[in-house]
């Protein structure tokens, strides 16, 4: 029996030793023994491999056996080495620079470079390679690193030296600010379905964090005509082998070489115009098949990219089978700087274990990405699984910031942090407001600033509208909060004291809310006039645009996502509504040459009541559907993705008489269809909204129940979709039927990039076309032309309606 147990134990040890992962590691160098960063190492005829790190060091975990390793880097001659692995070993490789020979081709003066013939063949095969794979799955490792290369000691009063020291950077304010690794299972199905599941992640400085590395963000496909990097570039970037690439690029054949029996053409790509959204660098195209084997491209500020000064893209392909080549590695490297700060870094992804005939369930693709908590692994796991070895700097960063992370999670540290940040500052009291936090309990208080709470209007005079809020995280899985808010409003001219309070409670995917109190609010329920802007116009220009009434109310609502793209909400409200007259005519200027209008927009010269005091009880229902069930899963819950189809919506409101003294009796039905950011490729993006509605009956209805429209009459306005550039705020509200349409097109630099001095300002051109029909207004049309840079938009608008002359105006909008 003992002998049997001994042999069983020995057999287990033998099997375990045989299955044990062994290590091949070493350094890949080039000329003068300088390391070659991110060189590739792959086992021949497989999709198993790795990449070297930024110092040229690599490692592979393999079982015992014989392997032929292929070492390659763009610009270097591939080298193969047969390894018999019975124990871990070190294999250093020195790669020679690749020599590209020009073919014996005679180019006559003024003749075409031979690169153009190759490019034309590659363009002809573009669609074939774009669509040759119907589906695949693979494993992807992603590593991201960002370093602060330079920073001032202080910036606008902020102590940068202290902040960088607390973040683990050195005394010169330089070092790693972000280091993350992740592993994902990635699946693809034509034409554009992807499903990614993050199986492990590690973020330096966060012991229980998850990585936001996304394989879909690392995907580039130069067989497509354009790369749409909307945050990086306002315009689609043109591929060097796009259908119309010859209009954008010049080409030069550098030479040819032979690798694994394949002839590879190295071609330099050069933008014809510096301001076009084009890449520079080199692409490598296989002879006969005319497919891409590698590329080294970059794009700079000259092409009007955002955030960074230079972005480099390095991509290598390898054959997965006899016909199909797939990406082996993709690396983005970037540098940028602003106001004394300089940043640099990279993201690299390594692809392995391709399956070109996977068994996939199309329903799984409703979830585009799954990143949830619980994927953080220990150092032993990463030492065995990490395909790209860490540099000494990265090891130190993990070690130092790991200790800081443990410290940051402790209650004493969180309490000390709250104590330091929850300090009283006069500037906060006056301007931004006061925030106090209890991070350990996940509680937050906010008290509004005093100056933004001071308003002025002709109804209340000088007004203080002061509020505070409290929030507490009660759903830690989905990061959802209980929120309580309250606000007090007092007018020093009409001496009316009002106050409102509300609470919102998350209930699964829905939100339950209760609100009530007394308030002075805009007659237009869309509140198109900013109270602060109206205060400035009233005091300085003696023009009172905002019209107000008093509303005492109680309401309850229940809203949220029902399923997929279906969202719905219902609200019930009782209100007592009272029209208010002007109570002051004070202004700083124009006291003799201008008169304020009354608080009745329909009789501007006479302060007569717009409606009698009344009570209303109404129930409103709203549902919308965007034809999309696709979503992304994060630790804080699901984020549903917009559909490529328009969103349709239906609303119904019923005013019911007799309940709690309600005087109103009406039924209003409306429907709308809209779509934002319709991608038109190089020609920009278009958004549209079409809405129509009708009061099925209006037995008893008052002005606050009318259908309101979002107009604008001021020089300064907040750009918002479905806003009319020149429409009066109140006069064209209707208790009958209406039809409205809005079309906005953003050319994204299509025109302005041809004008040098405008192009350098990075302006986007906008066309805004609006139409409205009501029985009162009849046909109203306006057309706006504008330029936008960041949050600032300047529009010139022209409007026409059947009851008035042509109007035009310039508007400056600031998105807050």
């Amino acid at each position: 029996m003992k002998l049997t147990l001994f042999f069983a134990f020995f057999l287990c040890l033998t099997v375990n030793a045989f299955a044990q992962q062994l290590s091949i590691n070493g350094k890949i160098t080039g000329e003068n023994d300088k390391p070659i960063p991110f060189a590739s190492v792959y086992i021949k005829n497989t999709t198993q491999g790795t990449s070297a790190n930024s110092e040229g060091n690599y490692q592979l975990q393999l079982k015992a056996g014989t392997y032929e390793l292929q070492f390659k880097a763009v610009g270097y001659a591939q080298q193969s080495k047969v390894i018999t692995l019975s124990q871990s070993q070190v294999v250093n490789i020195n790669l020679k620079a690749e020599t590209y020979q020009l073919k014996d081709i005679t180019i006559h003066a003024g003749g075409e470079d031979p690169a153009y013939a190759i490019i034309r063949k590659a363009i002809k095969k573009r669609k074939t390679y774009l669509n040759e794979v119907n589906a695949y799955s693979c494993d992807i490792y992603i590593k991201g690193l960002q370093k602060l290369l330079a920073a001032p000691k202080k910036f606008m009063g902020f102590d940068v030296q202290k902040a960088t020291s607390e973040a683990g950077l050195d005394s010169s304010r330089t070092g790693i600010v972000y280091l993350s690794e992740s592993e994902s299972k990635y699946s693809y199905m034509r034409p554009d379905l992807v499903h990614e599941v993050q199986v492990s992640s590690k973020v330096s400085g966060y012991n229980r964090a998850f990585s936001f590395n996304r394989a879909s963000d690392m995907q580039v496909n130069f067989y497509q005509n354009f790369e749409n990097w909307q945050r990086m570039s306002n315009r689609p970037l043109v591929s060097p082998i796009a259908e119309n690439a010859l209009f954008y690029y010049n080409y030069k054949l550098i030479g040819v070489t032979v690798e694994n029996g394949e002839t590879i053409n190295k071609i330099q790509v050069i933008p014809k115009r510096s301001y076009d959204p084009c890449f520079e660098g080199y692409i490598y195209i296989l002879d006969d098949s005319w497919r891409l084997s590698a590329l080294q491209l970059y794009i700079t500020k000259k092409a009007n990219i955002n955030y960074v000064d230079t972005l480099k893209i390095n991509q290598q392909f390898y054959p997965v089978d006899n016909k199909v080549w797939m990406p082996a590695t993709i690396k983005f490297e970037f540098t940028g700087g602003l106001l004394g700060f300089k940043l640099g870094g990279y993201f690299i992804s390594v692809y392995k274990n391709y399956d070109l005939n996977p068994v996939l369930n199309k329903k799984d693709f409703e979830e585009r990405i799954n990143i949830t908590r619980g994927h953080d692994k220990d150092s032993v796991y990463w030492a065995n699984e990490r395909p790209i070895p860490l540099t000494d700097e990265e090891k130190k960063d993990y070690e130092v910031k790991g200790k800081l992370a443990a410290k940051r999670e402790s209650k004493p540290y969180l309490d000390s942090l709250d104590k330091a940040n929850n300090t009283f500052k006069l500037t906060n009291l006056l301007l931004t407001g006061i925030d106090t936090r209890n991070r350990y309990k996940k509680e937050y208080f906010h008290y509004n600033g005093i100056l933004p709470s001071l308003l002025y209007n002709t109804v209340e005079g000088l007004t203080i509208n002061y509020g505070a809020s409290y929030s507490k995280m009660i759903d830690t899985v989905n990061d959802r909060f209980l929120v309580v808010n309250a606000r007090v409003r007092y007018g020093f001219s009409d001496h009316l004291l009002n106050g409102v309070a509300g609470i919102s409670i998350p209930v699964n995917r829905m939100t339950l809310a209760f609100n009530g109190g007394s308030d002075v609010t805009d007659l237009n329920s869309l509140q198109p006039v900013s109270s602060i802007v109206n205060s400035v116009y009233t005091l300085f220009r003696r023009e009172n645009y905002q019209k107000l009434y008093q509303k005492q109310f109680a309401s309850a609502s229940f809203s949220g996502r029902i399923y997929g793209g279906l969202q719905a909400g219902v609200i019930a409200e009782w209100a007592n509504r009272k029209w208010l007259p002007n109570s002051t005519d004070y202004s700083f200027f124009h006291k003799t040459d201008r008169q304020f209008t009354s608080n009745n927009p329909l009789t501007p010269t006479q302060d007569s009541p717009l409606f009698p005091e009344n009570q209303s009880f109404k129930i409103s229902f709203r549902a919308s559907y965007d034809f999309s069930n696709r979503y992304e899963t994060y630790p804080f819950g699901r984020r549903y993705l917009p559909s490529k189809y328009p969103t349709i919506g239906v609303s119904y409101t019923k005013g019911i008489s007799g309940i709690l003294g309600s005087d109103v009796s009406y039924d209003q039905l409306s429907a709308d269809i809209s779509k934002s950011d319709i991608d038109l490729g190089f020609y920009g993006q278009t958004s549209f909204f079409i809405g129509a509605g009708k009061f099925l009956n209006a037995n008893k209805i008052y002005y606050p129940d009318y259908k309101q429209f979002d107009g604008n009459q001021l020089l300064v306005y907040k750009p918002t979709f479905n806003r009319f550039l020149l429409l009066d705020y109140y006069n064209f509200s209707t208790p009958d039927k209406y039809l409205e349409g809005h079309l906005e097109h953003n050319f994204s630099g299509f025109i302005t990039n041809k004008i040098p001095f405008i192009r350098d300002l990075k302006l986007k051109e906008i066309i805004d076309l609006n139409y409205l029909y009501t029985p009162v207004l009849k046909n109203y049309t306006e057309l706006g032309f504008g330029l936008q840079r960041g949050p600032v938009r300047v529009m010139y608008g022209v409007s026409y309606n059947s009851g008035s002359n042509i109007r035009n105006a310039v508007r400056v909008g600031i998105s807050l």
Side-chain angles (χ1 to χ4, degrees):
M1 183 65 176
K2 289 182 180 181
L3 191 60
T4 303
L5 289 174
F6 173 79
F7 278 112
F9 180 67
F10 178 79
L11 181 62
C12 288
L13 288 178
T14 304
V15 171
N16 186 60
F18 182 76
Q20 182 182 2
Q21 294 283 311
L22 302 174
S23 172
I24 298 177
N25 63 82
K27 191 163 191 172
I28 304 173
T29 57
E31 187 179 359
N32 298 325
D33 291 328
K34 290 183 178 180
I36 301 176
F38 306 107
S40 295
V41 184
Y42 276 88
I43 301 171
K44 187 176 181 180
N45 298 325
T46 75
T47 64
Q48 188 175 0
T50 187
S51 170
N53 64 17
S54 59
E55 297 176 346
N57 294 312
Y58 76 94
Q59 66 180 18
L60 265 174
Q61 301 291 335
L62 300 170
K63 296 178 181 179
T66 300
Y67 304 93
E68 182 176 350
L69 301 183
Q70 294 181 327
F71 300 84
K72 62 184 298 184
V74 177
Y76 292 86
Q78 177 183 291
Q79 191 174 139
S80 297
K81 192 173 184 67
V82 176
I83 304 293
T84 299
L85 191 64
S86 58
Q87 61 182 6
S88 296
Q89 57 182 285
V90 176
V91 179
N92 296 320
I93 294 293
N94 183 267
L95 298 181
K96 304 299 181 184
E98 184 65 273
T99 55
Y100 290 88
Q101 303 292 331
L102 282 172
K103 296 178 180 178
D104 295 330
I105 299 176
T106 302
I107 304 177
H108 300 285
E112 187 178 68
D113 191 285
Y116 285 86
I118 299 170
I119 289 295
R120 289 190 181 95
K121 292 173 182 176
I123 292 174
K124 189 175 181 180
K125 296 286 287 185
R126 181 188 66 84
K127 284 188 178 180
T128 300
Y129 297 133
L130 180 64
N131 301 314
E132 71 176 340
V133 177
N134 291 319
Y136 71 86
S137 63
C138 64
D139 297 329
I140 303 178
Y141 166 85
I142 301 176
K143 180 180 180 181
L145 180 141
Q146 297 177 32
K147 297 178 69 174
L148 191 61
L149 305 176
K153 288 186 177 181
K154 289 192 175 182
F155 179 74
M156 298 181 65
F158 178 73
D159 193 337
V160 178
Q161 183 77 48
K162 179 182 178 182
T164 54
S165 177
E166 290 176 349
L169 276 65
D170 61 29
S171 59
S172 63
R173 303 171 303 285
T174 61
I176 297 174
V177 294
Y178 176 82
L179 173 60
S180 174
E181 300 173 277
S182 67
E183 295 177 309
S184 296
K185 298 283 187 181
Y186 187 82
S187 301
Y188 166 85
M189 183 182 293
R190 283 185 59 196
D192 59 357
L193 298 179
V194 299
H195 181 224
E196 177 183 353
V197 179
Q198 191 176 99
V199 295
S200 61
S201 65
K202 184 177 181 66
V203 182
S204 180
Y206 298 90
N207 287 340
R208 291 183 299 206
F210 54 92
S211 171
F212 275 105
N213 293 345
R214 296 159 51 110
S216 53
D217 288 341
M218 296 289 292
Q219 293 294 311
V220 292
N221 191 339
F222 285 93
Y223 291 119
Q224 295 177 337
N225 285 321
F226 304 106
E227 288 294 324
N228 284 299
W229 301 346
Q230 294 180 3
R231 286 172 291 181
M232 184 65 66
S233 174
N234 296 327
R235 302 172 294 168
L237 305 175
V238 183
S239 167
I241 57 170
E243 206 70 39
N244 59 346
L246 294 173
F247 176 78
Y248 293 98
Y249 289 99
N250 291 321
Y251 302 91
K252 181 180 180 181
L253 179 63
I254 302 301
V256 299
T257 189
V258 177
E259 184 178 288
N260 295 328
E262 298 274 6
T263 300
I264 301 174
N265 301 280
K266 181 179 182 180
I267 297 174
Q268 184 178 7
V269 297
I270 308 160
K272 287 189 174 181
R273 294 163 292 274
S274 62
Y275 56 80
D276 277 345
C278 295
F279 298 93
E280 300 178 61
Y282 301 94
I283 58 175
Y284 300 79
I285 298 177
L286 298 179
D287 242 16
D288 297 329
S289 62
W290 314 114
R291 67 162 72 242
L292 293 170
S293 67
L295 54 89
Q296 283 178 306
L297 299 174
Y298 67 93
I299 192 167
T300 67
K301 283 285 189 183
K302 291 188 298 183
N304 282 336
I305 59 174
N306 303 317
Y307 306 119
V308 299
D309 297 329
T310 302
L311 177 67
K312 299 178 181 178
I313 307 102
N314 187 314
Q315 186 174 24
Q316 295 187 52
F317 299 83
Y318 61 7
V320 175
D321 61 18
N322 294 331
K323 295 182 179 180
V324 177
W325 288 53
M326 298 293 287
T329 61
I330 301 175
K331 178 168 71 77
F332 292 89
E333 190 174 359
F334 54 88
T335 57
L338 183 67
L339 300 174
F341 293 89
K342 188 174 181 181
L343 191 73
Y346 65 84
F347 281 86
I348 184 170
S349 54
V350 179
Y351 299 76
K352 64 179 183 180
N353 299 331
Y354 277 104
D355 183 355
L356 301 183
N357 297 290
V359 178
L360 300 175
N361 184 350
K362 195 168 184 178
K363 186 174 178 59
D364 292 339
F365 288 91
E366 290 181 2
E367 182 182 60
R368 182 180 178 89
I369 187 169
N370 183 300
I371 301 178
T372 56
R373 289 188 175 96
H375 295 328
D376 47 311
K377 308 292 185 180
D378 59 24
S379 57
V380 175
Y381 172 88
W382 281 105
N384 291 325
E385 295 296 324
R386 174 184 292 120
I388 302 177
L390 297 176
T391 64
D392 291 339
E393 182 184 27
E394 292 164 353
K395 291 176 183 177
K396 183 179 178 181
D397 191 73
Y398 271 133
E399 180 182 351
V400 171
K401 291 182 181 176
K403 294 177 181 178
L404 288 175
K407 178 183 177 182
R408 291 193 190 104
E409 292 176 358
S410 66
K411 186 177 185 302
Y413 176 83
L414 294 175
D415 290 344
S416 66
L417 194 63
D418 288 336
K419 184 178 180 181
N421 291 330
N422 295 343
T423 55
F424 174 81
K425 293 182 180 179
L426 183 60
T427 54
N428 291 349
L429 175 66
L430 294 176
L431 299 174
T432 60
I434 297 175
D435 291 287
T436 60
R437 302 177 181 179
N438 187 322
R439 287 174 171 82
Y440 191 76
K441 293 184 178 180
K442 302 186 185 303
E443 294 180 334
Y444 307 87
F445 292 88
H446 175 76
Y447 306 90
N448 292 352
I450 293 177
L451 292 181
S453 300
L454 295 177
L455 310 172
Y456 185 82
N457 58 72
T458 55
V459 172
E460 301 169 285
L462 177 63
T463 303
I464 184 166
N465 186 32
Y466 191 80
S469 64
Y470 163 81
S471 59
K472 179 178 176 59
M473 183 183 291
I474 60 175
D475 182 352
T476 56
V477 175
N478 298 308
D479 286 355
R480 302 192 68 193
F481 290 80
L482 165 74
V483 178
V484 180
N485 58 74
R487 181 168 46 85
V488 175
R489 183 174 183 136
Y490 180 74
F492 288 91
S493 180
D494 66 357
H495 306 294
L496 288 178
L497 176 65
N498 296 279
V500 296
I503 181 172
S504 65
I505 308 164
V507 181
N508 296 325
R509 291 182 293 181
M510 309 291 283
T511 299
L512 177 65
F514 299 95
N515 293 276
S518 177
D519 199 8
V520 174
T521 188
D522 203 310
L523 280 167
N524 187 326
S525 58
L526 300 176
Q527 300 188 357
V529 190
S530 163
S531 294
I532 294 177
V533 172
N534 181 72
S535 299
V536 173
Y537 268 80
T538 304
L539 286 170
F540 289 87
R541 293 182 55 87
R542 200 173 177 82
E543 296 174 351
N544 56 324
Y545 287 95
Q546 192 175 43
K547 308 303 176 185
L548 305 165
Y549 75 104
Q550 186 181 43
K551 177 181 176 181
Q552 298 164 323
F553 71 101
S555 67
S557 65
F558 190 62
S559 61
R561 190 175 298 275
I562 306 299
Y563 176 78
L566 177 62
Q567 299 185 72
V570 61
I571 179 171
E573 179 191 83
W574 175 89
N576 182 82
R577 303 175 299 188
K578 182 180 180 181
W579 178 81
L580 299 172
N582 287 339
S583 66
T584 181
D585 66 350
Y586 178 80
S587 67
F588 294 153
F589 307 106
H590 303 287
K591 294 182 180 180
T592 58
D593 60 321
R594 294 180 185 174
Q595 296 295 321
F596 283 125
T597 59
S598 76
N599 195 46
N600 184 336
L602 305 185
T603 59
T605 61
Q606 183 179 356
D607 226 3
S608 57
L610 178 61
F611 56 85
E613 184 173 355
N614 64 86
Q615 291 78 44
S616 75
F617 181 81
K618 63 181 181 180
I619 297 176
S620 299
F621 172 79
R622 167 76 179 174
S624 65
Y625 185 66
D626 68 357
F627 299 93
S628 173
N629 292 326
R630 301 180 68 186
Y631 60 91
E632 297 174 340
T633 302
Y634 296 101
F636 48 78
R638 287 183 178 180
R639 186 179 77 88
Y640 280 83
L641 301 174
S643 169
K644 62 182 178 180
Y645 301 106
T647 298
I648 58 173
V650 177
S651 301
Y652 175 73
T653 299
K654 183 172 183 61
I656 307 173
S657 65
I659 297 180
L660 299 176
S662 174
D663 300 312
V664 300
S665 176
Y666 66 90
D667 293 87
Q668 180 191 8
L669 179 65
S670 63
D672 54 77
I673 180 170
S674 62
K675 183 75 177 76
S676 298
D677 301 330
I678 303 171
D679 191 5
L680 299 181
F682 200 59
Y683 299 99
Q685 294 179 325
T686 288
S687 301
F688 74 87
F689 175 92
I690 300 173
K694 180 177 175 58
F695 285 81
L696 304 179
N697 78 75
N699 295 332
K700 200 165 187 181
I701 188 172
Y702 301 92
Y703 187 89
D705 303 311
Y706 286 16
K707 167 61 184 176
Q708 317 284 351
F709 302 99
D710 197 355
N712 180 72
Q713 296 171 261
L714 305 181
L715 179 64
V716 178
Y717 76 111
K718 183 178 179 180
T720 306
F721 195 42
N722 334 4
R723 164 161 285 190
F724 292 90
L725 186 64
L726 298 164
L727 186 69
D728 185 281
Y729 297 121
Y730 304 99
N731 283 343
F732 304 120
S733 301
T734 180
D736 199 348
K737 52 183 175 291
Y738 72 92
L739 172 67
E740 63 177 319
H742 305 262
L743 176 68
E744 180 181 292
H745 185 76
N746 181 351
F747 283 99
S748 300
F750 178 69
I751 298 173
T752 55
N753 276 282
K754 302 182 185 303
I755 306 173
F757 76 94
I758 295 181
R759 180 183 70 240
D760 294 340
L761 295 176
K762 290 192 174 180
L763 296 175
K764 299 186 292 185
E765 320 90 61
I766 296 163
I767 288 182
D768 205 350
L769 177 64
N770 300 312
Y771 171 80
L772 176 64
Y773 167 83
T774 71
V776 175
L777 183 58
K778 301 299 182 184
N779 295 320
Y780 176 91
T781 305
E782 65 178 28
L783 180 63
F785 305 87
L787 294 173
Q788 180 168 345
R789 185 178 189 270
V792 179
R793 175 185 294 193
V794 180
M795 296 288 290
Y796 171 74
V798 180
S799 72
Y800 172 78
N801 70 77
S802 59
S804 67
N805 296 324
I806 294 175
R807 295 178 58 214
N808 65 84
V810 176
R811 299 288 184 258
V812 179
I814 301 177
S815 298
L816 303 177

